[in-house]
Amino acid sequence: MVWDAWGVPAGHQPLSAQIRGLLTQVFGISGEPAARRDEGDVPLVASTLTASTRADLAALVGAEHVSTDDIDRLRHAGGKSTLDLLRRRDTRPQDAPDAIVAPADHNAVLAVLRYCSAHGIAVVPFGGGTSVVGGVDPVRGRFPTVIALDLRRLDTLTDVDAVSGTATLGAGLTGPQAEKLLAAHGLSLGHFPQSFEFATIGGFAATRSSGQASAGYGRFDDMVQRLVVATPRGTLDLGRAPASAAGPDLRELFVGSEGTLGVITSVTVRVHPIPETTAYQAWSFPDFATGAAALRTVVQTGAAPTVLRLSDEAETGLNLARSSDIGGAPVSGCLAVTTFEGTAAHVAARSAEASELLSSAGGTALGTAPAEQWEHGRFAAPYLRDALLDVGVLCETLETATSWSNLANLKAKVTAALSDSLTGQGTPALVMCHISHTYPTGASLYFTVVAKQLEDPIAQWRVAKTAAGDAIMAAGATITHHHAVGADHRPWMGAEVGDLGVQVLRAVKHELDPAGVLNPGKLVP
Amino acid sequence: MVWDAWGVPAGHQPLSAQIRGLLTQVFGISGEPAARRDEGDVPLVASTLTASTRADLAALVGAEHVSTDDIDRLRHAGGKSTLDLLRRRDTRPQDAPDAIVAPADHNAVLAVLRYCSAHGIAVVPFGGGTSVVGGVDPVRGRFPTVIALDLRRLDTLTDVDAVSGTATLGAGLTGPQAEKLLAAHGLSLGHFPQSFEFATIGGFAATRSSGQASAGYGRFDDMVQRLVVATPRGTLDLGRAPASAAGPDLRELFVGSEGTLGVITSVTVRVHPIPETTAYQAWSFPDFATGAAALRTVVQTGAAPTVLRLSDEAETGLNLARSSDIGGAPVSGCLAVTTFEGTAAHVAARSAEASELLSSAGGTALGTAPAEQWEHGRFAAPYLRDALLDVGVLCETLETATSWSNLANLKAKVTAALSDSLTGQGTPALVMCHISHTYPTGASLYFTVVAKQLEDPIAQWRVAKTAAGDAIMAAGATITHHHAVGADHRPWMGAEVGDLGVQVLRAVKHELDPAGVLNPGKLVP
């Protein structure tokens, strides 16, 4: 992962003529991309790691796995939110962890946590570094030193149970690494969030990630069967059965704990045979309300496809602009994408049932091409954001979820909050939205916002983000459906779970991390 | 609910000639049913409630809702496990709560909890009183007084959102009361555990109940969208969206908390339209392994029916004996039951897909009658247990769950533990088993055990239960899939969640119930 943008250099592309034309037309932006800095030229605040601490950590994980190299530190200096990427453009010395420590296995993680707890060293667990909520910011809290605990060496598939459809994966495996190991057994996890190419199994669990095929395979929290967690107080090994009535489900405390309660070192997940068949079908709906009602009918009837998405009019229009670049057919109204995976018989039965429902609910079948195009480009959006940031456009996303009956209200309120807060700063905004995760009782809303950058785009976005977050909570929705809390959503956690809920979280944290060294400044208010 | 047996008097039936013949043949039992005592004749330990405490509680809930009447106390003296029912046959004074307190609403519950916490009075939350694990035993702990907090007045449907498919139900509503209120809106919860006729919404949530239609509608924990919980420290209101990544899912701490962390006062649940159509289909499999593999294929393919069950050879044989009483067709091998609910198109598509899979996996279709008979009698088994206990037969059930690959091993180990421990006491046992809840990664196993009672049947069963619980844990399974922990499974909680997991539970309990008055002796070791 490059230090100041998404992904790998090969993924970066200049803006198309179509997009540049749109930016000139809407925002009056026609500038050339800003030059990027080489990571070797970036000044960092000095590491505070002492020689004795370094030696102690080296004794636990091996000397070659404790790094204070500045390029290493820069690459662990935070995640990939727009705020993160804007901060990287600052020419002052960048904040970074004081060292990168990469333990080999669970026991080494445990040893590092015990050492750091005893010696007052903050620990930021680090997987793929793809957080978009400040979840891996190198925050010291009240400690003089902060390390990034890089989990990349926990990269093994330790168990496969093809009969039960489960696999035990190391926390440090990236999405593609995990899929490759599983494919050797004819299996797939089917978890494809936009961060799939870089994010890790441990990160998926620690953030309650949800992938684009969630309608078919569930959220990552649904997939988790068993978790092994290292804490300063010892190990937790949770999950003895597919389902249990043995008290509170403690797995659900650690799924979503974002490194504040412990470090997830391995996850036993539900997997499935690599699908025999995949069918694609795109749909057009006259408007978002009609499309949302159609998706609702499909999910509530028990006929959900594997992927089920609906873009609103604005996003469909931008898709139109982008897809016409690559020869796609124009789509009017609102575009919906469905895919169906599984055995041939299952795909045939399910797609027939869902298609009949979508058609009856006002959908017009568009054939397979727009759905295949969506799948082809589904990991590319963050690269587009980089290209936009480079020419002076502010681009960020945020997401939430609510009940079906509150969906239109929530969409209107968040759209207004984003538009008004940016327009109020003199920068008219494009706000687009889609539904990408559906449930019998409701759905997620994912917003993309584009505006011209002001001189201080960080301050500019903070105003908009605060307005959107407040609007989400006022509308009774959740502050995050799948991006997690990190530092950026922490101000709303009190509203999310109530004062007493926060006290419960603090009590659990105090029990497992009495020194408070685990991921300071994240999640728990 | 009668005090010394299951259900209502109208449900009680003498044993059929067929069953009595079987008992004579297998156990040499031919005795007449023991006489039952009238509840007015049962001596109780005296209530310790003082006049001043009674006055204080009356001020919180109304004088007519604080009862120390002995019949009231007897009816709140515990649940309905076989151990409970055997204890009721003891002629010495029965233990019972010192008072029954029935608050009107959430705020009254909160007030009672605060009062009891401040004054050191143990509180046993009481719904339908159907616990089979000692979950409502009137345990005082270190307190001089224990009250049963009867939630029956929390009996309203406070909100219906037909678009989102959610309803907010008072914790004290029984299954039939809830279904009746929902039916007025054309809706159904679809949660039908064997305790359905008497158990309550709050109890379903507090115990992680799972109903017979779990393959279609999920476990009760899956249905819960939002929970309101009263604790001595205040109120928790959890669940803002169908799904969220806002940290640990704190709902999952209170679902399954069995009244030890707080009192659930209302639950917003997922509901669905009353099904247009229900289709029934029974199947025969040559043996349990073939049948289990067939169920697995159906669930892993995403073609699950609404109900999906499989009895082993022994249980199928007993079903045969019982159903031939009522004119049913004989079934050899292992009987499986499927039902399909929903729209006509959904039922047609799903039953076609599932039937093809079950047939390909070795099943022989038996038509609808055995499945309809199963549904007709599905709440009757606890009445049969009473009739068996009355003639000197020990009859009890226990349940667990594990992965598909471990299912045969678990079944063999638990069967052996039950058989050996009872035979070792000189009482050969019939052990039957069925799968009633299936998941992509595994299934539940539900055992029914029948043996001749020894002179001390309580001690006799304790030996068998301990052997079975130890075998379950040694086989890597969960100590309970849907009966909860209560007092009876508490000895295995350390093995279930580990020492550190127990410490997390204690930390949460200490935060919310610092005086430790909530349901002493249950769940948390």
Side-chain angles (χ1 to χ4, degrees):
Chain A
M1 186 89 94
V2 298
W3 76 282
D4 62 344
W6 185 257
V8 291
H12 293 107
Q13 292 191 340
L15 293 174
S16 67
Q18 187 87 21
I19 298 274
R20 294 191 64 160
L22 203 65
L23 295 175
T24 306
Q25 183 193 326
V26 180
F27 300 122
I29 288 175
S30 57
E32 283 303 300
R36 289 201 178 150
R37 284 186 293 174
D38 186 83
E39 59 190 356
D41 298 334
V42 179
L44 290 192
V45 296
S47 170
T48 64
L49 195 75
T50 65
S52 79
T53 298
R54 183 182 185 124
D56 291 343
L57 289 168
L60 299 175
V61 302
E64 68 277 33
H65 300 297
V66 181
S67 170
T68 52
D69 174 78
D70 272 1
I71 286 179
D72 254 1
R73 292 177 60 216
L74 191 61
R75 289 182 184 175
H76 291 80
K80 298 294 178 184
S81 71
T82 294
L83 291 183
D84 290 325
L85 301 181
L86 292 170
R87 277 187 210 107
R88 309 271 155 84
R89 289 156 199 255
D90 195 315
T91 54
R92 288 167 294 185
Q94 299 266 329
D95 203 10
D98 297 305
I100 319 306
V101 179
D105 55 24
H106 175 83
N107 286 337
V109 172
L110 204 55
V112 171
L113 296 186
R114 284 177 163 150
Y115 177 84
C116 290
S117 181
H119 292 81
I121 297 168
V123 179
V124 179
F126 198 98
T130 61
S131 172
V132 290
V133 292
V136 291
D137 288 357
V139 175
R140 284 172 173 70
R142 59 195 174 80
F143 306 104
T145 300
V146 56
I147 64 165
L149 188 75
D150 191 312
L151 298 162
R152 78 180 93 105
R153 294 173 70 201
L154 283 71
D155 62 354
T156 53
L157 172 63
T158 53
D159 187 60
V160 173
D161 179 347
V163 170
S164 307
T166 61
T168 302
L169 296 163
L173 285 165
T174 66
Q177 287 173 333
E179 285 292 343
K180 189 176 172 190
L181 289 168
L182 290 168
H185 298 267
L187 299 169
S188 171
L189 179 55
H191 184 68
F192 301 112
Q194 203 169 61
S195 61
F196 167 75
E197 297 173 294
F198 306 98
T200 59
I201 295 296
F204 295 148
T207 61
R208 293 187 177 271
S209 172
S210 190
Q212 292 162 348
S214 67
Y217 300 119
R219 300 164 56 82
F220 199 80
D221 40 21
D222 297 326
M223 297 178 186
V224 172
Q225 306 287 301
R226 186 171 187 165
L227 281 174
V228 180
V229 186
T231 81
R233 295 279 316 283
T235 295
L236 289 146
D237 182 351
L238 298 167
R240 294 178 67 88
S244 172
D249 189 346
L250 295 180
R251 290 176 302 193
E252 298 287 347
L253 273 179
F254 297 94
V255 175
S257 62
E258 302 184 27
T260 64
L261 306 179
V263 176
I264 296 164
T265 58
S266 85
V267 188
T268 302
V269 287
R270 192 174 74 207
V271 296
H272 58 268
I274 293 172
E276 279 177 23
T277 306
T278 303
Y280 299 86
Q281 181 62 263
W283 296 82
S284 170
F285 288 92
D287 53 58
F288 191 73
T290 303
L295 268 56
R296 174 171 68 81
T297 299
V298 167
V299 177
Q300 291 183 339
T301 306
T306 306
V307 168
L308 181 60
R309 306 169 62 87
L310 174 72
S311 294
D312 73 356
E313 293 83 349
E315 190 174 281
T316 300
L318 184 73
N319 283 341
L320 165 63
R322 292 170 63 194
S323 64
S324 59
D325 282 353
I326 50 173
V331 175
S332 64
C334 290
L335 175 70
V337 166
T338 62
T339 77
F340 299 85
E341 293 185 358
T343 63
H346 181 69
V347 167
R350 191 61 72 91
S351 66
E353 191 184 353
S355 295
E356 172 60 31
L357 290 167
L358 291 169
S359 180
S360 297
T364 304
L366 298 177
T368 62
E372 289 173 329
Q373 270 173 30
W374 166 80
E375 186 177 270
H376 178 76
R378 64 179 170 165
F379 302 130
Y383 288 114
L384 176 61
R385 177 182 58 165
D386 289 322
L388 291 169
L389 292 175
D390 278 348
V391 299
V393 172
L394 182 69
C395 176
E396 183 56 304
T397 65
L398 55 84
E399 38 74 63
T400 176
T402 194
S403 62
W404 288 111
S405 63
N406 192 37
L407 205 67
N409 171 57
L410 178 65
K411 183 170 186 288
K413 294 284 168 59
V414 176
T415 300
L418 289 165
S419 294
D420 293 353
S421 61
L422 287 163
T423 304
Q425 298 179 73
T427 49
L430 275 182
V431 181
M432 294 161 278
C433 183
H434 66 245
I435 294 173
S436 46
H437 306 271
T438 52
Y439 305 90
T441 59
S444 69
L445 289 176
Y446 187 96
F447 295 88
T448 303
V449 191
V450 179
K452 186 174 178 174
Q453 288 179 27
L454 291 173
E455 194 170 346
D456 183 352
I458 291 178
Q460 177 191 11
W461 176 246
R462 284 210 169 114
V463 170
K465 174 74 177 175
T466 299
D470 290 347
I472 285 168
M473 299 317 281
T478 181
I479 193 63
T480 174
H481 169 267
H482 60 269
H483 281 172
V485 177
D488 296 356
H489 290 144
R490 201 166 68 137
W492 290 282
M493 274 301 282
E496 183 82 27
V497 301
D499 290 346
L500 195 52
V502 169
Q503 287 172 51
V504 169
L505 288 176
R506 286 184 184 144
V508 174
K509 182 167 175 67
H510 184 73
E511 183 66 26
L512 295 173
D513 176 26
V517 295
L518 285 173
N519 216 5
K522 319 294 159 49
L523 181 60
V524 187
Chain B
M1 186 90 95
V2 297
W3 77 282
D4 62 344
W6 184 257
V8 291
H12 293 107
Q13 291 190 340
L15 293 175
S16 67
Q18 186 86 21
I19 298 272
R20 293 190 67 159
L22 203 67
L23 295 175
T24 306
Q25 181 192 329
V26 179
F27 300 121
I29 289 177
S30 58
E32 282 305 298
R36 289 201 179 152
R37 284 186 291 174
D38 186 83
E39 60 190 355
D41 298 334
V42 180
L44 289 192
V45 295
S47 170
T48 64
L49 195 74
T50 64
S52 79
T53 298
R54 183 184 185 122
D56 290 344
L57 289 168
L60 298 175
V61 302
E64 68 275 34
H65 301 297
V66 180
S67 170
T68 52
D69 175 77
D70 272 0
I71 288 180
D72 252 3
R73 291 176 62 215
L74 190 61
R75 290 183 183 175
H76 291 80
K80 297 294 177 184
S81 71
T82 294
L83 292 183
D84 290 325
L85 301 181
L86 292 170
R87 276 188 213 108
R88 309 273 155 83
R89 288 156 199 256
D90 195 316
T91 54
R92 288 168 295 185
Q94 299 267 327
D95 205 9
D98 298 304
I100 319 307
V101 178
D105 55 23
H106 175 84
N107 285 339
V109 173
L110 204 56
V112 170
L113 295 185
R114 284 178 163 148
Y115 176 83
C116 290
S117 181
H119 293 82
I121 297 167
V123 179
V124 179
F126 199 99
T130 62
S131 173
V132 291
V133 292
V136 292
D137 287 356
V139 176
R140 285 171 172 70
R142 59 193 174 80
F143 306 103
T145 300
V146 55
I147 64 165
L149 189 75
D150 191 312
L151 298 161
R152 78 180 91 105
R153 295 173 68 201
L154 283 72
D155 62 354
T156 52
L157 171 63
T158 54
D159 188 59
V160 173
D161 178 347
V163 170
S164 307
T166 61
T168 302
L169 296 163
L173 284 166
T174 65
Q177 288 174 331
E179 286 292 343
K180 188 176 174 192
L181 289 169
L182 291 168
H185 298 267
L187 299 170
S188 171
L189 179 54
H191 183 70
F192 301 112
Q194 202 168 62
S195 61
F196 167 76
E197 297 172 293
F198 305 98
T200 59
I201 295 296
F204 295 148
T207 60
R208 292 188 176 274
S209 172
S210 190
Q212 292 162 349
S214 67
Y217 301 118
R219 298 163 57 80
F220 200 79
D221 40 20
D222 297 326
M223 297 178 186
V224 172
Q225 307 287 301
R226 187 172 188 165
L227 280 174
V228 180
V229 186
T231 81
R233 294 280 315 284
T235 295
L236 288 145
D237 181 352
L238 298 166
R240 294 179 66 88
S244 173
D249 189 346
L250 296 180
R251 288 175 303 192
E252 298 287 346
L253 274 180
F254 297 94
V255 175
S257 62
E258 302 183 25
T260 64
L261 305 179
V263 176
I264 296 165
T265 56
S266 84
V267 189
T268 302
V269 287
R270 193 174 75 208
V271 295
H272 58 269
I274 293 172
E276 278 176 24
T277 305
T278 302
Y280 299 86
Q281 181 62 264
W283 296 83
S284 170
F285 289 92
D287 53 57
F288 192 72
T290 304
L295 267 56
R296 174 171 67 81
T297 299
V298 167
V299 177
Q300 291 184 339
T301 306
T306 306
V307 168
L308 182 59
R309 306 169 63 87
L310 174 72
S311 294
D312 73 357
E313 293 84 347
E315 190 174 281
T316 300
L318 185 72
N319 283 342
L320 165 62
R322 291 171 63 195
S323 64
S324 60
D325 281 353
I326 51 172
V331 174
S332 66
C334 291
L335 174 71
V337 165
T338 62
T339 77
F340 299 86
E341 293 184 358
T343 62
H346 180 69
V347 167
R350 190 59 73 90
S351 66
E353 191 185 352
S355 296
E356 171 60 31
L357 291 166
L358 291 169
S359 180
S360 298
T364 303
L366 297 178
T368 61
E372 288 172 329
Q373 269 172 31
W374 166 80
E375 187 178 89
H376 178 75
R378 63 180 171 166
F379 302 130
Y383 288 114
L384 176 61
R385 178 182 58 167
D386 288 322
L388 290 169
L389 291 176
D390 278 347
V391 298
V393 173
L394 183 67
C395 177
E396 182 57 305
T397 65
L398 56 84
E399 37 75 61
T400 176
T402 193
S403 63
W404 288 111
S405 63
N406 192 38
L407 205 67
N409 170 59
L410 178 64
K411 183 170 186 288
K413 294 286 170 55
V414 176
T415 301
L418 289 165
S419 294
D420 294 352
S421 61
L422 287 163
T423 304
Q425 298 178 74
T427 49
L430 275 183
V431 181
M432 295 160 278
C433 183
H434 65 245
I435 295 173
S436 46
H437 305 271
T438 53
Y439 305 91
T441 60
S444 67
L445 288 177
Y446 186 98
F447 296 88
T448 302
V449 191
V450 179
K452 185 175 179 173
Q453 288 180 27
L454 290 172
E455 193 170 346
D456 183 351
I458 290 178
Q460 178 190 11
W461 176 246
R462 283 210 169 115
V463 170
K465 174 74 178 175
T466 299
D470 290 348
I472 285 169
M473 298 318 280
T478 182
I479 193 62
T480 173
H481 169 268
H482 60 268
H483 281 172
V485 177
D488 296 357
H489 290 145
R490 201 165 70 136
W492 290 281
M493 274 301 283
E496 182 82 27
V497 302
D499 291 345
L500 195 52
V502 169
Q503 288 172 50
V504 169
L505 287 177
R506 285 185 184 143
V508 173
K509 181 166 175 69
H510 184 72
E511 183 66 26
L512 295 173
D513 176 27
V517 295
L518 285 174
N519 217 4
K522 320 295 162 48
L523 181 60
V524 187

